[in-house]
Amino acid sequence: MGPMASAKYIFVTGGVTSSLGKGIISASLGKLLQARGFRVTIQKFDPYINIDPGTLNPYEHGECYVTDDGAETDLDLGHYERFLNICTSQANNVTTGRIYNNVITKERKGEYLGKTVQVVPHITDEIKRNIFLLGESGEYDFIITEIGGCVGDIESLPFLEAVRQVRWDLGPNNALVVHLTLIPYLKAAKELKTKPTQHSVKQLLEAGIQPDVLACRTERPLPLELRKKLALFCNVHLNSVIEAIDADSIYDVPLLMKKEKLDERVLAKLKVSSRKDPDLDHWKEFLGRLKNPTEEVNIGLVGKYVSLPDSYKSINEAFVHAGAQNDCKVNVKWISSEEINPETCEDILAGLDGILVAPGFGERGMEGKIEAIRYVREQKIPFFGVCLGMQCAVIEFARNVLKLHGASSTELDPNTRHPVIDLMEEQKKVTEKGGTMRLGAYACRLKKGSKAYNIYGESIIHERHRHRYEFNNKYLNDIEEAGLKAVGVNPESGLVEVVELKDHPWFIGVQFHPELKSTVLNPHPLFVKFVEAAINYKKSKTVNG
Ligand code: GLN
């Protein structure tokens, strides 16, 4: 076992608390290395037992991010893709559950015949095999591995042991550890405190790992005295104590890390001579637009999981990218679909410049989504339906325009008379929940002349999926004749992927998740044009009103 190619390995661990932003620090370091011309990828190892986060409630773990190859992954992979403009895959996200599953499967096959299978070396060997997997292709100069959870957690131990071994195997020129920690500010004492960090480094040392770089999350600038103290107590070079100060936007972090020379420290420690200064022109241009908008719109995001912003992370970020592209500040207003009914609808939605109805599962809140869509269809407010949002648009249209009373999705009402949204044939046999949806990238052919075609500028597109239910093609003719057109269809299966309404300024529903492919470098065209439609709608209101 061991790395085949000459990739260098950077591990990012976290201490003191979770939610310090390891994903953003990893993505920012990756961005800086990439901007120097290096080939970089990032992977995340999660210590929980689920095989993947697909079966987790968004309230537990935030959004489930889906890759082209159909892996249901941690939302940090979304940050990696958005920052680096790369494609990740199943290999970029591994959980304890997957590691154990692999080891137990091998055990049953008899691959360890005669041996007692143990955490060390069998589980740790399997972790190491996965650490090296992406590096084997020779495609990358740097593999950044983010270790989820917090140092000191029971479940992190096998991962830390694997990291310890990798550093030992590869030596200090080929593997290093960045430890992200918190320096809390105590108001009463008017002081930043280093003790929690000292403790967390001690815990790392207990696991046999001396961090090479300390990245210190802080609300206030870290004074030199404090940096010296941290360096002394944590055995880290003074210039490797990096301040990671709170930022207005996650997209500021690469530049803040550059100012702190995080990339330079990493390159020096790994004995890599850099080809040039990071080329961040495009990134800076994006930030310039993000921070100096000339327009402003309010978009309603109608969903079920609105009290936890992480549940719709990629949609939020896609709006950030699309807003910058339009020089427009997009205020996303979170609206709980459970609050929307025929009485409240107008009060809640009037005044917004566009409505996105979000993806989701289960019947709770679905009627509110359908009601919201009736309102924006009739009021000609720009509408964007994503996955369940598209399905709700079809239901609303069938009920209120086609007058198919009781039309529904069989997810909402298994006995509906008009199942305009229904389970796919192959889904009817599925009984297990994990990893069994229609997942990953599928092709879609767009009809020439449609709005979607003009927005994408091409007829064959590939977008990512995560759903079980589908537009029921038995109703296709009737629905199209009444004005809701299926303008995007899967060329092999004939499944409807995109619907758009005639005689409406902007009404598009998509069965896939465009938000998953929006990056800083390539803002998603549907989001860009939806924001543009919202700007135009707002202007038309001022002219007419
Ligand atoms: N619940 C719907 C389905 O399974 C939509 C899923 C989603 O919005 N991601 O088809």
Side-chain angles (χ1 to χ4, degrees), residues 358-362 366 369 386-389 391 409 411 421-424 437 465-470 511 513:
F361 294 87
M366 213 149 136
K369 291 182 173 175
V386 176
C387 206
L388 182 63
Q391 298 175 357
S409 158
E411 181 177 19
I421 304 291
D422 197 7
L423 268 192
M424 286 176 272
M437 284 187 251
H465 292 250
R466 182 170 188 256
H467 60 113
R468 291 185 203 282
Y469 295 82
E470 290 287 350
Q511 184 57 76
H513 291 268

mmCIF file of all heavy atoms in Angstrom, residues 358-362 366 369 386-389 391 409 411 421-424 437 465-470 511 513, ligand 1:
data_model
loop_
_atom_site.group_PDB
_atom_site.id
_atom_site.type_symbol
_atom_site.label_atom_id
_atom_site.label_comp_id
_atom_site.label_asym_id
_atom_site.label_seq_id
_atom_site.Cartn_x
_atom_site.Cartn_y
_atom_site.Cartn_z
ATOM 1 N N ALA A 358 -38.379 24.920 -3.623
ATOM 2 C CA ALA A 358 -37.188 24.112 -3.361
ATOM 3 C C ALA A 358 -37.446 22.610 -3.488
ATOM 4 O O ALA A 358 -38.587 22.160 -3.447
ATOM 5 C CB ALA A 358 -36.700 24.417 -1.950
ATOM 6 N N PRO A 359 -36.369 21.852 -3.584
ATOM 7 C CA PRO A 359 -36.459 20.392 -3.532
ATOM 8 C C PRO A 359 -36.948 19.941 -2.156
ATOM 9 O O PRO A 359 -36.908 20.721 -1.203
ATOM 10 C CB PRO A 359 -35.014 19.932 -3.727
ATOM 11 C CG PRO A 359 -34.253 21.112 -4.194
ATOM 12 C CD PRO A 359 -34.987 22.314 -3.743
ATOM 13 N N GLY A 360 -37.380 18.712 -2.058
ATOM 14 C CA GLY A 360 -37.794 18.217 -0.756
ATOM 15 C C GLY A 360 -38.426 16.841 -0.854
ATOM 16 O O GLY A 360 -38.604 16.301 -1.942
ATOM 17 N N PHE A 361 -38.758 16.306 0.304
ATOM 18 C CA PHE A 361 -39.316 14.956 0.379
ATOM 19 C C PHE A 361 -40.507 14.945 1.315
ATOM 20 O O PHE A 361 -40.549 15.709 2.279
ATOM 21 C CB PHE A 361 -38.248 13.981 0.887
ATOM 22 C CG PHE A 361 -37.128 13.834 -0.091
ATOM 23 C CD1 PHE A 361 -36.057 14.709 -0.066
ATOM 24 C CD2 PHE A 361 -37.181 12.856 -1.070
ATOM 25 C CE1 PHE A 361 -35.040 14.598 -0.992
ATOM 26 C CE2 PHE A 361 -36.171 12.745 -1.994
ATOM 27 C CZ PHE A 361 -35.092 13.614 -1.964
ATOM 28 N N GLY A 362 -41.463 14.066 1.007
ATOM 29 C CA GLY A 362 -42.587 13.883 1.916
ATOM 30 C C GLY A 362 -43.667 14.930 1.705
ATOM 31 O O GLY A 362 -43.448 15.947 1.061
ATOM 32 N N MET A 366 -46.195 20.455 1.229
ATOM 33 C CA MET A 366 -46.319 20.398 -0.229
ATOM 34 C C MET A 366 -47.499 21.244 -0.726
ATOM 35 O O MET A 366 -47.404 21.904 -1.752
ATOM 36 C CB MET A 366 -46.478 18.942 -0.665
ATOM 37 C CG MET A 366 -45.844 18.671 -2.002
ATOM 38 S SD MET A 366 -45.253 16.978 -2.052
ATOM 39 C CE MET A 366 -45.785 16.446 -3.637
ATOM 40 N N LYS A 369 -46.531 24.751 -1.156
ATOM 41 C CA LYS A 369 -45.723 24.976 -2.355
ATOM 42 C C LYS A 369 -46.624 25.107 -3.576
ATOM 43 O O LYS A 369 -46.426 25.977 -4.440
ATOM 44 C CB LYS A 369 -44.742 23.816 -2.560
ATOM 45 C CG LYS A 369 -43.649 23.767 -1.501
ATOM 46 C CD LYS A 369 -42.664 22.639 -1.739
ATOM 47 C CE LYS A 369 -41.514 22.751 -0.739
ATOM 48 N NZ LYS A 369 -40.573 21.645 -0.804
ATOM 49 N N VAL A 386 -37.384 23.634 -8.565
ATOM 50 C CA VAL A 386 -36.272 22.684 -8.608
ATOM 51 C C VAL A 386 -36.729 21.356 -8.006
ATOM 52 O O VAL A 386 -37.148 21.304 -6.849
ATOM 53 C CB VAL A 386 -35.044 23.229 -7.851
ATOM 54 C CG1 VAL A 386 -33.927 22.191 -7.822
ATOM 55 C CG2 VAL A 386 -34.551 24.516 -8.501
ATOM 56 N N CYS A 387 -36.673 20.304 -8.792
ATOM 57 C CA CYS A 387 -37.001 18.948 -8.379
ATOM 58 C C CYS A 387 -38.423 18.881 -7.820
ATOM 59 O O CYS A 387 -39.373 19.007 -8.583
ATOM 60 C CB CYS A 387 -35.934 18.400 -7.444
ATOM 61 S SG CYS A 387 -35.867 16.604 -7.494
ATOM 62 N N LEU A 388 -38.596 18.763 -6.510
ATOM 63 C CA LEU A 388 -39.966 18.760 -5.982
ATOM 64 C C LEU A 388 -40.704 20.034 -6.418
ATOM 65 O O LEU A 388 -41.915 20.005 -6.657
ATOM 66 C CB LEU A 388 -39.946 18.667 -4.450
ATOM 67 C CG LEU A 388 -41.318 18.597 -3.786
ATOM 68 C CD1 LEU A 388 -42.068 17.337 -4.191
ATOM 69 C CD2 LEU A 388 -41.184 18.653 -2.267
ATOM 70 N N GLY A 389 -39.976 21.140 -6.555
ATOM 71 C CA GLY A 389 -40.579 22.404 -6.989
ATOM 72 C C GLY A 389 -41.163 22.282 -8.390
ATOM 73 O O GLY A 389 -42.233 22.836 -8.693
ATOM 74 N N GLN A 391 -42.127 19.373 -9.699
ATOM 75 C CA GLN A 391 -43.255 18.428 -9.577
ATOM 76 C C GLN A 391 -44.497 19.166 -9.077
ATOM 77 O O GLN A 391 -45.606 18.936 -9.575
ATOM 78 C CB GLN A 391 -42.876 17.277 -8.637
ATOM 79 C CG GLN A 391 -41.702 16.448 -9.150
ATOM 80 C CD GLN A 391 -41.243 15.375 -8.161
ATOM 81 O OE1 GLN A 391 -41.761 15.264 -7.057
ATOM 82 N NE2 GLN A 391 -40.254 14.581 -8.567
ATOM 83 N N SER A 409 -49.152 14.054 -6.642
ATOM 84 C CA SER A 409 -48.038 13.129 -6.767
ATOM 85 C C SER A 409 -48.362 11.942 -5.861
ATOM 86 O O SER A 409 -48.953 12.133 -4.794
ATOM 87 C CB SER A 409 -46.758 13.810 -6.290
ATOM 88 O OG SER A 409 -45.802 12.848 -5.914
ATOM 89 N N GLU A 411 -46.429 10.545 -4.102
ATOM 90 C CA GLU A 411 -45.675 10.763 -2.860
ATOM 91 C C GLU A 411 -46.565 11.482 -1.836
ATOM 92 O O GLU A 411 -46.500 11.204 -0.644
ATOM 93 C CB GLU A 411 -44.427 11.609 -3.152
ATOM 94 C CG GLU A 411 -43.564 11.855 -1.926
ATOM 95 C CD GLU A 411 -42.294 12.644 -2.234
ATOM 96 O OE1 GLU A 411 -42.241 13.312 -3.284
ATOM 97 O OE2 GLU A 411 -41.366 12.582 -1.420
ATOM 98 N N ILE A 421 -47.669 13.079 -11.122
ATOM 99 C CA ILE A 421 -46.286 12.752 -10.738
ATOM 100 C C ILE A 421 -46.356 11.379 -10.077
ATOM 101 O O ILE A 421 -47.120 11.175 -9.136
ATOM 102 C CB ILE A 421 -45.709 13.771 -9.733
ATOM 103 C CG1 ILE A 421 -45.774 15.209 -10.275
ATOM 104 C CG2 ILE A 421 -44.283 13.393 -9.323
ATOM 105 C CD1 ILE A 421 -44.850 15.516 -11.433
ATOM 106 N N ASP A 422 -45.551 10.456 -10.575
ATOM 107 C CA ASP A 422 -45.673 9.084 -10.073
ATOM 108 C C ASP A 422 -44.297 8.447 -9.948
ATOM 109 O O ASP A 422 -43.322 8.916 -10.548
ATOM 110 C CB ASP A 422 -46.539 8.284 -11.067
ATOM 111 C CG ASP A 422 -47.072 6.997 -10.438
ATOM 112 O OD1 ASP A 422 -46.878 6.796 -9.227
ATOM 113 O OD2 ASP A 422 -47.669 6.191 -11.180
ATOM 114 N N LEU A 423 -44.254 7.361 -9.207
ATOM 115 C CA LEU A 423 -42.995 6.626 -9.068
ATOM 116 C C LEU A 423 -42.558 6.063 -10.405
ATOM 117 O O LEU A 423 -43.389 5.572 -11.171
ATOM 118 C CB LEU A 423 -43.179 5.441 -8.120
ATOM 119 C CG LEU A 423 -42.899 5.599 -6.644
ATOM 120 C CD1 LEU A 423 -42.876 4.217 -5.998
ATOM 121 C CD2 LEU A 423 -41.569 6.299 -6.386
ATOM 122 N N MET A 424 -41.300 6.113 -10.683
ATOM 123 C CA MET A 424 -40.757 5.448 -11.872
ATOM 124 C C MET A 424 -40.965 3.950 -11.717
ATOM 125 O O MET A 424 -40.916 3.436 -10.601
ATOM 126 C CB MET A 424 -39.254 5.697 -11.964
ATOM 127 C CG MET A 424 -38.889 7.067 -12.398
ATOM 128 S SD MET A 424 -37.098 7.241 -12.350
ATOM 129 C CE MET A 424 -36.844 7.777 -10.683
ATOM 130 N N MET A 437 -32.185 6.145 -5.009
ATOM 131 C CA MET A 437 -32.934 7.086 -5.856
ATOM 132 C C MET A 437 -32.322 7.136 -7.256
ATOM 133 O O MET A 437 -31.324 6.479 -7.533
ATOM 134 C CB MET A 437 -32.883 8.475 -5.227
ATOM 135 C CG MET A 437 -33.809 8.613 -4.046
ATOM 136 S SD MET A 437 -33.872 10.308 -3.471
ATOM 137 C CE MET A 437 -33.003 10.164 -1.952
ATOM 138 N N HIS A 465 -29.171 14.479 -10.620
ATOM 139 C CA HIS A 465 -30.501 14.109 -10.138
ATOM 140 C C HIS A 465 -30.449 13.513 -8.744
ATOM 141 O O HIS A 465 -29.458 12.911 -8.355
ATOM 142 C CB HIS A 465 -31.103 13.054 -11.069
ATOM 143 C CG HIS A 465 -31.420 13.598 -12.420
ATOM 144 N ND1 HIS A 465 -32.699 13.787 -12.857
ATOM 145 C CD2 HIS A 465 -30.611 14.022 -13.420
ATOM 146 C CE1 HIS A 465 -32.678 14.288 -14.080
ATOM 147 N NE2 HIS A 465 -31.420 14.433 -14.442
ATOM 148 N N ARG A 466 -31.591 13.648 -8.051
ATOM 149 C CA ARG A 466 -31.766 12.934 -6.771
ATOM 150 C C ARG A 466 -33.252 12.879 -6.451
ATOM 151 O O ARG A 466 -33.787 13.755 -5.770
ATOM 152 C CB ARG A 466 -31.007 13.652 -5.644
ATOM 153 C CG ARG A 466 -31.099 12.940 -4.307
ATOM 154 C CD ARG A 466 -30.158 13.532 -3.295
ATOM 155 N NE ARG A 466 -30.109 12.741 -2.093
ATOM 156 C CZ ARG A 466 -30.707 13.072 -0.946
ATOM 157 N NH1 ARG A 466 -31.376 14.202 -0.842
ATOM 158 N NH2 ARG A 466 -30.624 12.281 0.095
ATOM 159 N N HIS A 467 -33.933 11.911 -6.991
ATOM 160 C CA HIS A 467 -35.378 11.813 -6.788
ATOM 161 C C HIS A 467 -35.867 10.418 -7.151
ATOM 162 O O HIS A 467 -35.164 9.642 -7.811
ATOM 163 C CB HIS A 467 -36.097 12.856 -7.653
ATOM 164 C CG HIS A 467 -35.840 12.680 -9.118
ATOM 165 N ND1 HIS A 467 -36.805 12.321 -10.009
ATOM 166 C CD2 HIS A 467 -34.706 12.782 -9.853
ATOM 167 C CE1 HIS A 467 -36.290 12.218 -11.218
ATOM 168 N NE2 HIS A 467 -35.012 12.491 -11.141
ATOM 169 N N ARG A 468 -37.113 10.109 -6.702
ATOM 170 C CA ARG A 468 -37.737 8.834 -7.044
ATOM 171 C C ARG A 468 -38.928 9.018 -7.968
ATOM 172 O O ARG A 468 -39.284 8.121 -8.704
ATOM 173 C CB ARG A 468 -38.289 8.159 -5.783
ATOM 174 C CG ARG A 468 -37.245 7.672 -4.841
ATOM 175 C CD ARG A 468 -37.862 6.915 -3.672
ATOM 176 N NE ARG A 468 -36.955 6.933 -2.547
ATOM 177 C CZ ARG A 468 -35.884 6.156 -2.452
ATOM 178 N NH1 ARG A 468 -35.623 5.266 -3.375
ATOM 179 N NH2 ARG A 468 -35.067 6.259 -1.419
ATOM 180 N N TYR A 469 -39.573 10.181 -7.867
ATOM 181 C CA TYR A 469 -40.819 10.389 -8.604
ATOM 182 C C TYR A 469 -40.540 11.138 -9.899
ATOM 183 O O TYR A 469 -39.516 11.804 -10.037
ATOM 184 C CB TYR A 469 -41.828 11.156 -7.724
ATOM 185 C CG TYR A 469 -42.254 10.341 -6.518
ATOM 186 C CD1 TYR A 469 -41.454 10.293 -5.379
ATOM 187 C CD2 TYR A 469 -43.420 9.601 -6.543
ATOM 188 C CE1 TYR A 469 -41.822 9.531 -4.288
ATOM 189 C CE2 TYR A 469 -43.802 8.831 -5.448
ATOM 190 C CZ TYR A 469 -42.994 8.803 -4.328
ATOM 191 O OH TYR A 469 -43.353 8.051 -3.249
ATOM 192 N N GLU A 470 -41.486 11.027 -10.848
ATOM 193 C CA GLU A 470 -41.298 11.569 -12.195
ATOM 194 C C GLU A 470 -42.587 12.163 -12.723
ATOM 195 O O GLU A 470 -43.684 11.745 -12.342
ATOM 196 C CB GLU A 470 -40.942 10.418 -13.166
ATOM 197 C CG GLU A 470 -39.591 9.805 -12.974
ATOM 198 C CD GLU A 470 -38.472 10.683 -13.436
ATOM 199 O OE1 GLU A 470 -38.726 11.717 -14.095
ATOM 200 O OE2 GLU A 470 -37.313 10.341 -13.120
ATOM 201 N N GLN A 511 -36.469 18.953 -13.238
ATOM 202 C CA GLN A 511 -36.486 17.763 -12.396
ATOM 203 C C GLN A 511 -35.122 17.523 -11.742
ATOM 204 O O GLN A 511 -34.995 16.875 -10.720
ATOM 205 C CB GLN A 511 -36.896 16.548 -13.247
ATOM 206 C CG GLN A 511 -37.041 15.265 -12.490
ATOM 207 C CD GLN A 511 -38.040 15.358 -11.351
ATOM 208 O OE1 GLN A 511 -39.236 15.346 -11.544
ATOM 209 N NE2 GLN A 511 -37.528 15.479 -10.133
ATOM 210 N N HIS A 513 -31.088 19.037 -10.415
ATOM 211 C CA HIS A 513 -30.595 20.030 -9.449
ATOM 212 C C HIS A 513 -29.494 20.884 -10.072
ATOM 213 O O HIS A 513 -28.307 20.600 -9.886
ATOM 214 C CB HIS A 513 -30.035 19.328 -8.208
ATOM 215 C CG HIS A 513 -31.077 18.663 -7.377
ATOM 216 N ND1 HIS A 513 -31.705 19.283 -6.332
ATOM 217 C CD2 HIS A 513 -31.623 17.432 -7.465
ATOM 218 C CE1 HIS A 513 -32.585 18.467 -5.785
ATOM 219 N NE2 HIS A 513 -32.556 17.330 -6.466
HETATM 220 N N1 GLN B 1 -39.510 13.910 -3.307
HETATM 221 C C1 GLN B 1 -39.368 14.048 -4.720
HETATM 222 C C2 GLN B 1 -38.905 12.759 -5.369
HETATM 223 O O1 GLN B 1 -38.372 11.903 -4.703
HETATM 224 C C3 GLN B 1 -38.428 15.194 -5.068
HETATM 225 C C4 GLN B 1 -37.038 14.984 -4.596
HETATM 226 C C5 GLN B 1 -36.231 16.237 -4.563
HETATM 227 O O2 GLN B 1 -36.777 17.337 -4.582
HETATM 228 N N2 GLN B 1 -34.905 16.119 -4.492
HETATM 229 O O3 GLN B 1 -39.046 12.590 -6.548
#
